[in-house]
Amino acid sequence: MSLAIPNGLDNTVERPGERAPLVLGDTTYHDITETVCRVAETKPSKGWVIGFLIAFALLQWLGICIAYLFYTGVGVWGNRSPIFWGWPIVNFVFWVGIGHAGTLISAILFLFRQEWRTSINRAAEAMTIFAVACAGTFPGIHVGRAWLAFWLAPYPSLNLWMWPQFRSPLLWDVFAVSTYGTVSLLFWYMGMVPDLATFRDRSKNKYRRMAYGILSLGWTGSSRHWIRYEKAYALLAAFAAPLVLSVHTIVSFDFAVSQVPGWHTTIFPPYFVAGAIFSGFAMVLTLMVPARSMLGLEKLITIRHLDNMCKIILATGSIVGLAYGTEFFIAWYGQVPDEQYAFINRAFGPYWWAYWTMITCNVISPQLFWVKKFRTTPWIIVLITIFVNIGMWFERFVIVVTSLSRDYLPSAWAYFSPTWVDWSMLIGSFGLFFTLFLLFCKLMPVINMAETKSTLAKQYHMAHNEPTTPTEH
Amino acid sequence: MSDDKNEKKIHGIVAEYTSVDTLLAACRRVRDAGYTKTDAYTPFAVHGIDKALGIKPTVLPWLALAGGLTGTCTALTMQIWMNGLNYPYIISGKPFVLSLPAFIPVAFELTILFASFCTFFGMWALNGLPRFSNPIFTDPRFDRVTDDRFFLYIDSKDKSFDAKGVEKLLGETGTEYINSVVDDDSPTTIPKFLIVGLCVLIGLSIIPALIVAKMRVTTSSQPRFHIFPDMDFSPARDAQQTTTLFADNRAMRPDVPGTVARGQMDADLNFLTGIDMDKFAQVDSDRAEQLVRTYLTPLAAEGEEPTAGAAASNEKSVMETTPWLEQNPLEISDAVVRQGQQQFNIYCSVCHGMDGRGNGLVNQRAQKIMAATWVPPSSLHQDVLYADQYPDGKLFNTISNGIRKMPGYAGQIKAKDRWAIVTYVRALQKSQNASMDLVPASEKSKVEKQKNQVDKALAEAAEAERKKEEERAAKAAAQK
Amino acid sequence: MSKHAPAIKPADDPAFKLPASLSALSLPLCIGGVLVLIVGWLIATYGVDQPKFGMSAYFAAFMYCLTLVLGSLFFVMIQHLVRAGWSAVLRRIAELVMIMIVPMAVLFLPIVVTLWTSDAALYRWDSPTFAQDNHLDPEMWANKTMWLSQDWFTVRACIYFAIWIGLAVYYFRGSVEQDETGERAATDRMQFWSGPAVMLYCGSMTFAMFDWVMSLAPMWFSTMFGVYLFAGSILSAHCILAVGAYLLQQAGAMRDEVTVEHYHDLGKLIFGFVTFWTYISFSQYLLIWYANIPEETEWLYHRQLGTWGTLSLALVFLHWMLPFLGTMSMYVRRRPRWIFFWAFYVLVMHYIDIYWMVMPEAHAGVPGAHGSAGGVLGVIASVLCVLGMVALMVGLILRVASQTRIVAVRDPRLAESIAFENI
């Protein structure tokens, strides 16, 4: 075990035929365990505590706003005829989109054998689940009488004796998002079990040992178990991959099956999916870049990981840009006056500022990632990805609000203005997200230790079998 | 290995390795030596170990497939039955049963969901987990299996198991640590605080259910307990109450300006007022405008016109300057006259009498009881009330709005019927001043015959009266 | 861990050469292909009593070959983009197919020529009376013909072909030159340009498909149409790799290099892209079906009449369900013979998909011809056209292959690819 890959090696450069290392430094299996467990075993840092307090306060604020909403009614929002969807749905689509990166990294990159996913997938999956939790909140409270939201479930009700309408895309959404949340949770938890067993075996404290012992289900690392476990993991990945696509596809159906100009476009499914991946990766980077240095994970989450994710952002950002262009072109080519008006109104109507914010942040800012320097400088990455997050929020705003505010009935046209409750809920949802994420950082293994070790094992293997070691510069 | 450990049942023997390669080599060796009940414990999945240990592939994919198919079938059956058969409900004109494209998204989701459940739970079940007490955990160095050490284990149930032989074999595989795995003698009872805590939790969680159950089986005169208001108590207001909801604080909302009542769209003001509004506007534009405004406010029900304020006043000058309609707007026909007669007999005759002479039953009664404030109704057969002096419109207005003691009948009689009454009154007036010239020639003889009969009958009656009078006079004289 | 990498054979090993038995087929295939193509076109033009049938049958065959070629081009670029290792041993097959973009450009000439010389021989918008016949608003039609005009259409076609030929030649030449020089920098260079290349490709592909296939129905539009055709092409590109590799191995080449692991991966990718194709086509159908707006449903409506209705349903079951179930099992994926079968099958289905897109438009606007496929003669003619063109392509591919190698022998990732094992 003496393969030394020095720190500071630029593992973003990969000579063809040789694979650059994904774990840096003179790292051993034990070092990986130490690095990851230290995060959860030491006392929280001052930064963590402050961050948590802020996030928790915002979460409380969200709770108060929801209580106020329940007590007063949905009139506290800015949703007015004809913009009945407004911010809650914008936030919903935004958060669901964020939630796509996790499962995408875990499942699709797994299926494509992209081994660099191993050190980022855990946090990304956690992020998925928390983002889906944020997303689920909004349609839940948007149904008006939120305490009757269970009517969405097809259960035999003695009082009503009727069923939900399965031809409605909004119901498809219920199934898609809840299935997605459930499967992501299973996937996340299953992936964590071996690492929770590591936590268990390292625990000095009896209660801690018991808690992690229960969570890790008595995992021993038996080979027979590993084989079924790996099979199950591959199967879940195979199920989760189309599931990821389906979720945002179905969210896009909410819009696209209708006849509202600007919504009814066949490119919506793949374009929404690309947008979701785009925003999801941006959020992963926004979180991981600071987390990696705060938690001391630089050897495991290397510059190469960041570089790869930036490339994915560049690719999906370009797809989204192409889709914007195609939409515009077809609106003109189709020569349907309503569609043409909808798109001209987007760009030059009363919401021009939202549209051009979206274009700047989503199409132009990721193009900076063509420059390698930007892909490998952490603070620039964070800056650009924050722009992407903003842009993707505005994309949903543009789609939801501009089309609704100017539909087929000019007498109903109106301008949407959010209320303070709208703002509070958007900010509060970030509180929910960060509270959960910070708790996760402290309580759960933030990096998939087992898989990272297996990557390291391959690295050893390659180093011992091939004449040229990747140590040379 | 100490002696006290030897007394316990040995489950198997475990050896520790520090690298994957030595472990794999050891596995192959053990497999080739004929051991089958073996297992390796590793911190991560080691590829190729299935071959090295001779582990068979798992049935998990089949479980997943079964789960997936179940999901598809469940979803399709559920949707078609619920939306197509049990509660058919048309949406977007899509078919009931064959809305297959719309059913596919949910079918897809449930396929994935069921397959994932089968995979997830199937994997744990096949692995025999969760299992919290495992003899292998007794090994003091086994904690490092989840860190960086690799273990090979040979179970004592293996048919060729022999402790010494196994230890020797393992000893040749590059291990530095060999140990026997013995029973787990750590306490197996669940800690008391856990049980107590669990009981308390269960107890607490039952309380809401109990409350609900109690409420469902007992009757109460109290209103239902409302957690959510659910718009059950709507803050409805009476018409005269105040509210803070509107700037003018009125709970009852006035009609929006320009509101048109039912049937009012084709209302003809001339018809409704009996006034020639065009002329009226020239003569007295203020009052005309006032009148128009009065009529444009919505009418509660057809035929219920409000009092035409100024027009109804008794000021002579006003009545005289108003340009009344000279002509009855109705097209006169037999049916109209009959309708007028019917309405006259119902509403007017009680005072004016069937013949219009002002001696109806009410008048007779008033005379009889000598009511002090009674103003006798006019006879309609006066020159001042004839059409040349009293235009049809004015007559209509009098019927509508009343005069002196006579109340307005706009509320009771529809405008059309009032015009019919006007028609009838004109006929009635004519009937009292008819000459034979008015009778058509063909009817003349008939009328004359009738007249003769009437005259004769009258003469006879007068004669009879006269005779009676004479007899009475004679009788009186006789008595004297 | 995995087995140790076998030694790579020297570059001049016969395993990397096109077997003589195959290279001998080149000329006969070319000549035969051209003849069959001409016969098919003649039957389609003069045997079927529909004015547009001849060019449509030719165009369906052209689009079929073009999508295969473009799919292969994308495959090559994406392998460079993601620095893929497993596929290095198969990449040359895709490169040989993608360089066929040059003859495809020549085969496009008849389409341009008919566009200029006759009215509405293929495209209905290419008729001065189209707006009048269909009672269209003249102002709207004037806007539309700003895009759909003979000269602008031709210019765009030149741009598309320029982009594709440029990309294909660049990647082909880079790879072939590396066979001789073996310099790693070539791979670095190709990787460097792969990002912009893919973007150029995506843009041109989208608009080319709008121009060529979507505008067959001039008033119809679907934003997803480019993606739909792209899904078909990338699917069939993987099928070509499987079919090509299998046939080459049968003929005795690269027997040790392409292993069951590669077939396994191709099987997975075929399975995945069959699903992707289904996803795209279902989404497009669902959105149009659900919203039910007349200007959109027209296209699908034609395809629900008569023979086309049957074909549409057949596509659901034969293009999706059958191959989906067929390639699901790992048992099948690890059997080269089965993968060859399914790849070949999907290639056939891909033609039916193209046929289903193109041919109904040959009858559009012809009274009473809705739902007909031009009779038995029409089907025979269409099949002859595509067989002829495919034969011509295969002949040309063999010709190019016999002058180069069938494996990128000095690719730096070749060793990794050969040693590659599925987990």
Side-chain angles (χ1 to χ4, degrees):
Chain A
M1 285 207 198
S2 59
L3 175 72
I5 297 161
N7 281 323
L9 169 84
D10 183 4
N11 66 340
T12 57
V13 179
E14 188 172 73
R15 293 191 64 198
E18 294 159 10
R19 292 297 177 188
L22 289 163
V23 180
L24 293 184
D26 193 2
T27 308
T28 62
Y29 299 136
H30 184 66
D31 291 339
I32 293 177
T33 314
E34 281 294 330
T35 314
V36 178
C37 292
R38 200 174 48 231
V39 176
E41 285 167 359
T42 51
K43 281 230 168 74
S45 67
K46 207 174 270 172
W48 187 92
V49 173
I50 293 170
F52 182 77
L53 286 178
I54 295 173
F56 197 61
L58 291 177
L59 173 60
Q60 303 306 306
W61 185 232
L62 176 68
I64 290 169
C65 285
I66 290 177
Y68 174 60
L69 171 86
F70 280 12
Y71 182 73
T72 317
V74 286
V76 301
W77 282 328
N79 300 358
R80 296 284 182 276
S81 172
I83 308 138
F84 290 113
W85 274 14
W87 274 33
I89 299 303
V90 175
N91 294 343
F92 160 69
V93 183
F94 172 71
W95 279 117
V96 165
I98 299 284
H100 275 58
T103 312
L104 187 101
I105 290 171
S106 316
I108 295 185
L109 295 188
F110 174 81
L111 295 179
F112 280 119
R113 289 192 294 268
Q114 296 295 309
E115 275 160 13
W116 57 274
R117 67 181 263 288
T118 51
S119 50
I120 52 168
N121 67 345
R122 172 68 44 74
E125 282 167 35
M127 217 188 70
T128 289
I129 290 156
F130 306 149
V132 170
C134 291
T137 311
F138 286 100
I141 57 180
H142 187 257
V143 293
R145 292 196 276 166
W147 47 95
L148 296 180
F150 64 90
W151 283 5
L152 289 164
Y155 74 105
S157 147
L158 290 174
N159 297 328
L160 300 167
W161 200 247
M162 59 184 197
W163 306 109
Q165 179 52 266
F166 282 102
R167 294 182 199 87
S168 158
L170 300 181
L171 193 65
W172 306 344
D173 244 6
V174 174
F175 276 82
V177 174
S178 54
T179 300
Y180 183 57
T182 312
V183 174
S184 300
L185 197 64
L186 296 184
F187 201 44
W188 181 58
Y189 176 64
M190 200 181 104
M192 257 187 328
V193 166
D195 291 349
L196 289 171
T198 309
F199 274 26
R200 170 199 67 199
D201 291 343
R202 285 171 60 92
S203 301
K204 306 278 186 290
N205 179 318
K206 184 180 157 195
Y207 298 110
R208 190 181 165 90
R209 193 181 180 92
M210 192 180 287
Y212 285 117
I214 291 170
L215 283 175
S216 60
L217 304 174
W219 180 259
T220 57
S222 151
S223 294
R224 287 162 206 282
H225 291 184
W226 269 120
I227 282 164
R228 291 195 196 98
Y229 176 91
E230 290 255 287
K231 195 68 181 177
Y233 198 84
L235 283 171
L236 276 187
F239 302 143
L243 183 63
V244 185
L245 298 193
S246 83
V247 174
H248 229 54
T249 296
I250 288 175
V251 171
S252 81
F253 286 166
D254 291 350
F255 300 94
V257 297
S258 73
Q259 297 172 346
V260 176
W263 282 11
H264 180 66
T265 312
T266 48
I267 195 123
F268 259 33
Y271 145 54
F272 262 52
V273 171
I277 296 166
F278 181 51
S279 67
F281 268 86
M283 187 58 105
V284 171
L285 277 173
T286 315
L287 288 185
M288 294 295 272
V289 172
R292 126 186 212 277
S293 58
M294 265 154 61
L295 305 177
L297 304 172
E298 284 98 336
K299 282 184 187 172
L300 303 181
I301 303 173
T302 65
I303 291 291
R304 166 132 179 248
H305 291 89
L306 307 185
D307 184 41
N308 281 352
M309 285 195 272
C310 290
K311 283 179 182 165
I312 289 183
I313 288 181
L314 174 58
T316 47
S318 306
I319 293 176
V320 168
L322 180 63
Y324 293 157
T326 315
E327 269 186 333
F328 246 90
F329 170 73
I330 291 291
W332 174 79
Y333 174 87
Q335 288 291 323
V336 179
D338 308 299
E339 284 288 326
Q340 288 180 337
Y341 175 77
F343 281 93
I344 288 170
N345 180 50
R346 263 185 199 179
F348 307 108
Y351 295 102
W352 62 269
W353 48 272
Y355 184 81
W356 294 106
T357 311
M358 166 186 108
I359 293 288
T360 315
C361 295
N362 282 357
V363 183
I364 298 170
S365 77
Q367 299 302 321
L368 295 174
F369 281 145
W370 284 109
V371 182
K372 187 170 178 182
K373 176 106 182 111
F374 294 162
R375 292 199 305 263
T376 50
T377 314
W379 69 269
I380 294 180
I381 295 176
V382 174
L383 202 67
I384 294 179
T385 54
I386 286 176
F387 272 113
V388 170
N389 284 320
I390 295 172
M392 284 310 289
W393 190 89
F394 271 99
E395 182 196 294
R396 278 62 179 252
F397 180 84
V398 164
I399 291 171
V400 171
V401 173
T402 58
S403 283
L404 279 182
S405 68
R406 297 270 170 106
D407 64 358
Y408 286 113
L409 199 63
S411 64
W413 287 2
Y415 190 83
F416 175 81
S417 339
T419 64
W420 63 270
V421 184
D422 282 315
W423 283 103
S424 300
M425 284 199 175
L426 173 60
I427 297 165
S429 64
F430 277 92
L432 171 61
F433 182 74
F434 281 106
T435 305
L436 292 171
F437 191 78
L438 287 169
L439 281 178
F440 158 77
C441 285
K442 219 50 223 166
L443 296 175
M444 298 287 169
V446 283
I447 285 183
N448 192 333
M449 291 182 270
E451 278 193 24
T452 313
K453 284 172 195 166
S454 132
T455 311
L456 187 64
K458 264 181 215 151
Q459 221 161 285
Y460 285 143
H461 186 78
M462 266 168 46
H464 291 307
N465 279 285
E466 281 173 22
T468 47
T469 58
T471 45
E472 61 189 50
H473 284 264
Chain B
M1 272 183 279
S2 57
D3 286 355
D4 60 313
K5 266 192 183 175
N6 277 337
E7 289 160 19
K8 291 186 195 161
K9 182 177 179 277
I10 292 178
H11 285 273
I13 292 173
V14 71
E16 187 196 80
Y17 302 88
T18 55
S19 81
V20 176
D21 294 337
T22 48
L23 173 74
L24 280 175
C27 287
R28 286 191 203 101
R29 206 158 158 177
V30 167
R31 176 195 65 194
D32 295 344
Y35 291 99
T36 52
K37 290 206 181 309
T38 55
D39 206 348
Y41 296 89
T42 53
F44 52 86
V46 173
H47 298 294
I49 203 152
D50 46 344
K51 283 176 200 143
L53 275 175
I55 301 173
K56 287 190 191 104
T58 160
V59 298
L60 208 52
W62 293 105
L63 277 182
L65 183 66
L69 288 177
T70 315
T72 320
C73 296
T74 310
L76 287 178
T77 319
M78 174 178 81
Q79 296 180 85
I80 290 172
W81 182 73
M82 286 179 182
N83 281 175
L85 303 171
N86 185 257
Y87 196 90
Y89 178 74
I90 286 209
I91 184 166
S92 308
K94 302 289 182 254
F96 288 139
V97 175
L98 287 175
S99 286
L100 200 58
F103 292 155
I104 283 183
V106 171
F108 173 81
E109 298 300 328
L110 287 198
T111 307
I112 298 284
L113 187 67
F114 280 41
S116 302
F117 275 142
C118 280
T119 310
F120 183 81
F121 293 110
M123 185 270 287
W124 295 120
L126 288 173
N127 280 350
L129 294 176
R131 178 188 177 192
F132 297 111
S133 174
N134 192 333
I136 194 114
F137 286 142
T138 57
D139 188 278
R141 292 175 72 155
F142 195 71
D143 273 357
R144 288 190 74 173
V145 75
T146 54
D147 182 4
D148 59 349
R149 289 301 144 92
F150 306 82
F151 291 85
L152 181 57
Y153 172 77
I154 301 179
D155 198 283
S156 60
K157 290 198 194 82
D158 195 288
K159 53 186 182 300
S160 48
F161 183 82
D162 153 44
K164 292 252 166 58
V166 168
E167 274 174 33
K168 182 163 173 286
L169 176 69
L170 289 175
E172 292 162 7
T173 55
T175 173
E176 284 158 11
Y177 174 81
I178 299 177
N179 193 10
S180 307
V181 173
V182 294
D183 267 334
D184 185 2
D185 57 356
S186 58
T188 51
T189 50
I190 301 167
K192 204 169 236 166
F193 77 92
L194 263 184
I195 293 175
V196 173
L198 211 63
C199 288
V200 170
L201 265 182
I202 291 171
L204 287 175
S205 64
I206 287 175
I207 291 175
L210 284 178
I211 293 174
V212 170
K214 182 176 176 290
M215 282 180 164
R216 289 207 74 122
V217 295
T218 51
T219 51
S220 163
S221 57
Q222 295 297 305
R224 210 147 60 95
F225 180 65
H226 274 71
I227 300 173
F228 296 106
D230 241 356
M231 291 198 268
D232 284 349
F233 310 104
S234 102
R237 297 271 161 173
D238 287 338
Q240 282 73 32
Q241 281 180 312
T242 56
T243 174
T244 53
L245 198 61
F246 301 105
D248 63 358
N249 291 352
R250 286 200 280 177
M252 189 170 71
R253 308 309 302 152
D255 292 303
V256 177
T259 307
V260 176
R262 281 190 171 194
Q264 213 193 352
M265 281 295 271
D266 44 67
D268 177 357
L269 271 181
N270 292 4
F271 189 82
L272 290 173
T273 57
I275 300 169
D276 187 336
M277 294 304 289
D278 290 341
K279 276 190 193 156
F280 196 35
Q282 288 164 12
V283 176
D284 189 343
S285 61
D286 284 351
R287 279 205 302 127
E289 197 186 327
Q290 199 185 340
L291 193 59
V292 169
R293 195 162 295 152
T294 320
Y295 271 87
L296 280 186
T297 53
L299 310 178
E302 196 187 349
E304 194 187 317
E305 284 96 292
T307 320
S313 91
N314 280 336
E315 289 171 54
K316 273 244 158 81
S317 61
V318 170
M319 297 299 278
E320 275 158 15
T321 55
T322 305
W324 303 111
L325 284 182
E326 301 287 342
Q327 197 71 41
N328 189 328
L330 286 185
E331 201 176 319
I332 313 294
S333 68
D334 191 40
V336 170
V337 178
R338 282 185 197 288
Q339 174 74 2
Q341 183 182 28
Q342 188 207 33
Q343 296 291 314
F344 182 88
N345 290 349
I346 293 171
Y347 291 104
C348 313
S349 67
V350 284
C351 288
H352 288 283
M354 292 293 216
D355 54 3
R357 290 195 182 277
N359 196 22
L361 287 172
V362 176
N363 187 50
Q364 288 175 25
R365 169 85 180 153
Q367 299 296 347
K368 201 174 175 185
I369 61 169
M370 289 185 282
T373 57
W374 179 249
V375 179
S378 309
S379 163
L380 302 178
H381 306 294
Q382 313 171 45
D383 291 350
V384 288
L385 292 182
Y386 287 164
D388 51 345
Q389 290 186 44
Y390 208 95
D392 279 3
K394 193 170 175 184
L395 185 54
F396 176 84
N397 179 60
T398 306
I399 298 170
S400 304
N401 301 315
I403 191 163
R404 294 186 292 276
K405 282 282 175 184
M406 174 182 162
Y409 279 84
Q412 287 99 306
I413 314 173
K414 290 180 184 169
K416 200 179 161 194
D417 288 347
R418 274 176 268 142
W419 281 115
I421 291 173
V422 170
T423 316
Y424 180 68
V425 168
R426 293 298 179 221
L428 208 55
Q429 287 172 338
K430 277 234 166 89
S431 74
Q432 299 306 309
N433 299 296
S435 62
M436 277 306 282
D437 308 343
L438 291 171
V439 181
S442 57
E443 300 286 309
K444 241 174 201 168
S445 59
K446 200 172 150 199
V447 172
E448 265 169 4
K449 199 178 157 197
Q450 242 173 10
K451 197 177 175 237
N452 288 340
Q453 278 174 358
V454 171
D455 286 350
K456 210 172 143 195
L458 280 174
E460 279 170 11
E463 186 68 12
E465 186 72 13
R466 197 177 51 83
K467 275 183 184 166
K468 247 184 214 168
E469 201 68 24
E470 279 172 2
E471 276 171 23
R472 207 184 293 142
K475 222 183 243 176
Q479 275 174 353
K480 276 178 185 172
Chain C
M1 299 291 285
S2 56
K3 66 183 177 196
H4 288 263
I8 302 176
K9 293 173 185 163
D12 292 329
D13 194 273
F16 298 140
K17 279 275 175 206
L18 186 71
S21 57
L22 289 179
S23 53
L25 285 175
S26 168
L27 197 61
L29 273 174
C30 287
I31 295 171
V34 171
L35 288 178
V36 171
L37 178 61
I38 290 173
V39 169
W41 182 78
L42 286 173
I43 296 177
T45 312
Y46 299 105
V48 181
D49 190 22
Q50 273 157 25
K52 290 197 300 177
F53 201 86
M55 275 322 286
S56 296
Y58 178 84
F59 184 67
F62 171 81
M63 276 314 296
Y64 179 66
C65 293
L66 184 74
T67 46
L68 302 190
V69 169
L70 289 178
S72 304
L73 173 61
F74 185 78
F75 178 85
V76 172
M77 291 188 301
I78 203 79
Q79 301 310 311
H80 283 298
L81 185 66
V82 301
R83 306 169 179 172
W86 71 276
S87 60
V89 71
L90 293 169
R91 211 187 55 237
R92 178 55 56 78
I93 301 176
E95 285 167 351
L96 288 168
V97 179
M98 90 185 167
I99 198 65
M100 287 303 117
I101 193 67
V102 180
M104 285 320 290
V106 178
L107 287 172
F108 191 67
L109 287 178
I111 292 163
V112 178
V113 169
T114 49
L115 185 74
W116 283 90
T117 51
S118 57
D119 281 346
L122 177 61
Y123 292 105
R124 275 189 287 155
W125 50 263
D126 180 35
S127 149
T129 59
F130 180 78
Q132 234 177 340
D133 298 344
N134 291 280
H135 316 291
L136 299 175
D137 175 28
E139 193 189 341
M140 182 254 275
W141 186 245
N143 280 331
K144 194 108 185 173
T145 42
M146 280 162 65
W147 187 262
L148 298 177
S149 65
Q150 287 174 352
D151 32 15
W152 185 209
F153 178 92
T154 315
V155 170
R156 287 199 306 272
C158 293
I159 297 173
Y160 302 144
F161 273 113
I163 292 173
W164 297 335
I165 291 176
L167 292 175
V169 167
Y170 177 77
Y171 279 97
F172 186 77
R173 190 175 288 168
S175 180
V176 170
E177 277 171 6
Q178 201 180 38
D179 280 1
E180 308 305 325
T181 61
E183 58 168 341
R184 292 180 178 202
T187 304
D188 276 333
R189 221 170 27 241
M190 289 193 278
Q191 275 173 11
F192 180 80
W193 288 111
S194 59
V198 166
M199 283 186 73
L200 260 182
Y201 172 89
C202 289
S204 55
M205 174 89 181
T206 305
F207 281 88
M209 295 309 137
F210 287 167
D211 273 3
W212 296 351
V213 188
M214 201 166 88
S215 81
L216 285 171
M219 298 314 296
W220 185 71
F221 56 88
S222 164
T223 17
M224 206 203 240
F225 201 72
V227 187
Y228 178 43
L229 268 156
F230 167 75
S233 358
I234 188 70
L235 167 64
S236 41
H238 286 94
C239 294
I240 289 198
L241 289 186
V243 169
Y246 185 81
L247 290 179
L248 286 171
Q249 285 195 311
Q250 288 304 103
M254 55 189 199
R255 285 228 158 121
D256 301 329
E257 285 72 22
V258 178
T259 67
V260 66
E261 304 293 340
H262 299 105
Y263 286 104
H264 188 177
D265 254 20
L266 284 173
K268 285 194 271 193
L269 285 164
I270 290 171
F271 175 78
F273 281 111
V274 162
T275 316
F276 181 66
W277 176 88
T278 313
Y279 160 65
I280 294 292
S281 39
F282 171 71
S283 299
Q284 178 173 280
Y285 178 79
L286 177 81
L287 294 182
I288 294 173
W289 173 82
Y290 205 112
N292 214 2
I293 301 176
E295 61 255 24
E296 289 184 348
T297 44
E298 169 219 4
W299 197 80
L300 287 172
Y301 178 69
H302 288 322
R303 284 158 182 75
Q304 286 178 357
L305 297 175
T307 325
W308 302 117
T310 320
L311 199 61
S312 304
L313 267 184
L315 275 178
V316 175
F317 289 101
L318 301 182
H319 198 308
W320 167 60
M321 197 183 261
L322 208 57
F324 178 82
L325 295 175
T327 53
M328 189 188 261
S329 147
M330 194 166 107
Y331 177 88
V332 171
R333 289 176 191 163
R334 292 188 76 81
R335 300 286 178 292
R337 192 189 291 269
W338 274 110
I339 287 303
F340 166 73
F341 167 76
W342 281 115
F344 190 82
Y345 173 85
V346 172
L347 282 175
V348 173
M349 288 320 296
H350 179 58
Y351 175 67
I352 296 181
D353 187 27
I354 298 277
Y355 182 82
W356 175 85
M357 268 184 256
V358 173
M359 293 313 285
E361 298 305 329
H363 317 287
V366 182
H370 275 328
S372 91
V376 180
L377 217 52
V379 175
I380 292 175
S382 311
V383 171
L384 283 181
C385 280
V386 74
L387 284 183
M389 204 176 288
V390 168
L392 175 62
M393 284 298 128
V394 174
L396 291 173
I397 290 170
L398 292 178
R399 173 105 187 107
V400 178
S402 63
Q403 286 163 2
T404 57
R405 296 183 179 80
I406 53 173
V407 172
V409 285
R410 286 206 175 90
D411 189 288
R413 299 214 170 92
L414 192 62
E416 186 185 340
S417 176
I418 291 173
F420 157 71
E421 250 188 295
N422 270 291
I423 44 168

